[in-house]
Amino acid sequence: MGDKANKTNENVAKTGFSQEVKSEFKKIIWPSKESLTKESVAVIATTIVLGAVVALIDLGIQYLINGVL
């Protein structure tokens, strides 16, 4: 009899969890296509600029090390 009660409690917990997840998903405010595009371009541009800066610093350090050795 205890096993049956545990299964019922598990089903209630699973159902409650899935209902909570559904209600939380309804609260999500998805970004507009324009906003998503602008933010994606900003992230890509920032990544490229920072990559170039790191590459320049690396080349500078390599130049200094090769000059010393």
Side-chain angles (χ1 to χ4, degrees):
M1 190 161 152
D3 290 335
K4 191 173 186 180
N6 285 340
K7 288 182 181 179
T8 304
N9 289 341
E10 288 176 10
N11 288 339
V12 169
K14 289 179 184 177
T15 303
F17 176 75
S18 63
Q19 287 175 350
E20 288 179 24
V21 169
K22 286 180 184 178
S23 69
E24 290 298 321
F25 265 99
K26 289 179 183 177
K27 295 177 186 177
I28 295 174
I29 300 172
W30 297 102
S32 67
K33 188 174 181 179
E34 291 176 4
S35 174
L36 183 63
T37 303
K38 287 179 183 178
E39 291 173 8
S40 296
V41 168
V43 168
I44 291 169
T46 303
T47 302
I48 290 170
V49 169
L50 289 177
V53 169
V54 169
L56 288 173
I57 291 171
D58 183 49
L59 286 173
I61 292 172
Q62 280 182 340
Y63 181 75
L64 290 173
I65 290 175
N66 288 337
V68 171
L69 296 176

